[in-house]
């Protein structure tokens, strides 16, 4: 496009944008489009806001001009910033960062958050709390997406200091901070944060029904982690009336599955079947085969523990059908682990060995693929790769022990424990340590068994799905 003399002589980005807009015959509203407002464009064109790179990309595309053309030789005017326009730019950038986090592009999101922080720095004193908290909040959220709660915690604590007097932002920060404590195996501290959120919700301060349901789910999960299924059940019952107004079938399915899990812990099989059927119906209707299969696997595991083997076999068969053709190595590893567990109960050693070996193979591939990748897409973390691999190794160890192969069993148990020791998954470390201690005691190796019993006694078992 040939540049007009007005554009060629424009000294600032503001002047260039205005000249290009007028040259193309666009109004301020047309340039703003659906992403920005007329007020923002007017502030930009008078030099009252310095556009960020993401916003400038939107404007350049509408003007049919490369960004370099807008910036070439330009100098900035040093006039007082328009804070409203500045905040609009920051919100646009932070929404883009949220989108990157949700899609699993966490490294890219963190780079953008660093850019937003630099963009905000000259105005940090003037920014209101409900804008200033966004940088540490999103950085914490990104670290949590990366399964790094130790990095997320200080960022969220910093965000809470900024936004403490703002009820809704503070509740959103506390919700994520609670998830961080949960992932760090501190469910009581998680519950403290989530109950603060619940107080804000019960005070009718927050209208976002999706967030309200998420908080209820997290409170229930905290109680579940502390082995208080009746308390969890009470919270789930409180949230049920909200589901009629929730336009999110996946959230509804998570609540129904939470209800089923609580009833399952209480061995109330009638209610378990009722709510798990509702969760399964939603997942299957929406085509979410992985989640539908995970419900079947969870039900099968509990049924095996309860020695209801025929019912467990039916759910595992249903899970196999749902997972036919999937490439999700994590959930396939869990399927074969559960098939091995069922085969052990049915005294089918060859089938148990075959499925245990397949579970380890899939879990190892999943573990290696995630370890070698910087960014993960959102679907990849169906389950943590370390936990998946450790639990597959544990099942393989039990199968070896069944066959009298104590040496290979010891090697597999020790590999599983070494793998999980570097992580914060105390419930998995507890389960594997208890499993090995029980095996050692059955062998008559009481001194070694006591060592692993002591290890498990220092840990805090918990578990369930989280929302953030």
């Amino acid at each position: 496009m040939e540049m007009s003399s007005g554009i060629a002589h424009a000294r600032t980005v503001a002047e260039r944008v205005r000249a290009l807009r007028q040259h193309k015959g666009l109004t301020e509203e047309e340039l703003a489009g659906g992403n920005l407002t007329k007020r923002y464009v007017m502030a930009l064109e008078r030099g009252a806001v310095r556009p960020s790179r993401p916003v400038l990309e939107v404007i350049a595309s509408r003007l049919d001009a490369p960004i370099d053309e807008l910036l070439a030789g330009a100098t900035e005017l040093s006039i007082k910033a328009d804070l409203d326009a500045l905040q609009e730019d920051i919100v646009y950038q932070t929404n883009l960062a949220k989108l990157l986090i949700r899609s699993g592009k966490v490294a890219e999101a963190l780079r953008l958050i660093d850019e937003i922080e630099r963009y905000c720095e000259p105005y940090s004193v003037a920014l209101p709390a409900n804008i200033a908290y966004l940088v540490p909040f999103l950085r914490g959220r990104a670290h949590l997406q990366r399964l790094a709660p130790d990095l997320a915690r200080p960022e969220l604590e910093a965000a809470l200091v900024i936004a403490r007097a703002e009820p809704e932002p503070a509740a959103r920060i506390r919700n994520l901070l609670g998830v961080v404590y949960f992932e760090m195996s501190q469910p009581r501290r998680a519950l403290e944060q989530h109950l603060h959120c619940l107080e804000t919700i019960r005070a009718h301060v927050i209208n976002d029904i999706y967030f309200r349901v998420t908080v209820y789910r997290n409170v229930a999960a905290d109680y579940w982690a502390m082995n208080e299924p009746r308390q969890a059940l009470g919270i789930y019952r409180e949230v049920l009336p909200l589901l009629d107004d929730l336009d999110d079938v996946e959230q509804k399915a998570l609540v129904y599955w939470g209800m089923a899990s609580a009833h399952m812990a209480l061995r109330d099989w009638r209610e378990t079947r009722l709510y798990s059927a509702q969760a399964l119906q939603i997942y299957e209707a929406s085509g979410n085969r992985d989640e539908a299969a995970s419900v079947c696997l969870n039900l099968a595991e509990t049924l095996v523990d309860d020695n209801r083997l025929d019912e467990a076999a039916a759910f595992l068969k249903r899970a196999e059908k749902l997972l036919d053709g999937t490439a999700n190595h994590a959930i396939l590893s869990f399927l074969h682990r559960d098939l091995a567990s069922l085969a052990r109960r049915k005294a089918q050693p060859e089938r148990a060995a075959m499925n245990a070996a397949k579970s380890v193979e899939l879990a190892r591939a999943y573990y290696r693929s995630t370890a070698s990748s910087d960014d993960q897409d959102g679907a990849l973390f169906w389950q943590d790769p370390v936990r998946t691999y450790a639990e597959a190794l544990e099942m393989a160890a039990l199968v070896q022990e069944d066959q009298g192969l104590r040496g290979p069993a010891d090697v597999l148990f020790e590999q599983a424990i070494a793998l999980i020791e570097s992580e914060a998954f105390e419930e998995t470390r507890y389960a594997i340590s208890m499993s090995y201690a029980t095996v050692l005691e059955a062998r008559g190796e009481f001194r070694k068994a006591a060592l692993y019993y002591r290890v498990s006694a220092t840990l805090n078992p918990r578990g369930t799905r989280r929302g953030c």
Side-chain angles (χ1 to χ4, degrees), residues 70 80 98 101 117 122 131 145 152-153 162 188 191 215 221 228 250 306 326 347 367 380 392-393 401 417 427:
L70 296 181
K80 187 175 180 180
K98 290 176 191 174
I101 293 169
E117 187 171 46
I131 296 294
Q145 177 83 0
R153 178 181 167 182
I162 296 169
R188 291 197 181 277
L191 180 62
V215 169
E228 298 181 19
E250 298 278 331
D306 214 40
T326 187
Y367 174 75
L380 188 58
L393 289 168
E401 184 70 20
I417 290 168
E427 80 288 357

Side-chain angles (χ1 to χ4, degrees), residues 313-325:
F315 276 111
L316 288 175
K317 187 174 182 180
R318 187 170 178 180
E320 279 189 281
K321 185 175 181 181
L322 285 163
L323 294 174
D324 184 33

Side-chain angles (χ1 to χ4, degrees), residues 49-195:
V49 65
R50 174 174 54 89
S52 64
R53 181 84 183 189
V55 167
L56 202 56
E57 287 174 354
V58 171
I59 289 170
S61 69
R62 292 200 181 122
L63 292 173
D64 253 350
I67 289 183
D68 291 344
E69 183 179 311
L70 296 181
L71 296 172
T75 59
E76 291 300 329
L77 294 179
S78 55
I79 69 172
K80 187 175 180 180
D82 183 318
L83 282 179
D84 288 334
L86 176 67
Q87 290 175 53
E88 185 176 332
D89 197 311
I90 294 167
V91 168
Y92 178 84
Q93 294 182 77
T94 54
N95 285 339
L96 181 57
K98 290 176 191 174
L99 184 62
L100 290 170
I101 293 169
R102 288 193 196 105
S103 61
K105 298 177 181 177
V106 182
E108 190 177 339
L110 285 167
R111 287 192 291 271
L112 176 57
I113 292 164
D114 288 343
E115 290 176 16
I116 297 169
E117 187 171 46
R118 288 191 291 271
Y119 179 80
C120 293
E121 193 172 352
Y123 318 102
S124 57
V125 176
L127 289 175
N130 64 344
I131 296 294
Y133 90 95
L134 287 168
V135 164
F137 174 73
L138 288 175
R139 191 176 282 127
R141 185 170 171 176
H143 287 313
L144 189 56
Q145 177 83 0
R146 268 188 163 176
L147 303 177
D150 54 325
L151 297 178
R153 178 181 167 182
E155 296 291 341
L156 294 171
E157 288 174 341
L160 187 58
V161 169
I162 296 169
R164 191 179 296 273
E166 300 286 336
E168 183 164 354
R172 292 184 182 277
I173 298 164
R174 285 187 184 279
N175 180 54
L176 276 195
L177 193 53
V179 174
V180 164
Y181 282 129
F182 187 97
E183 293 302 325
M184 296 175 76
S185 298
Q186 299 178 43
R188 291 197 181 277
R189 298 190 73 176
L191 180 62
E192 179 184 342
Q193 297 297 328
H194 289 139
L195 287 177

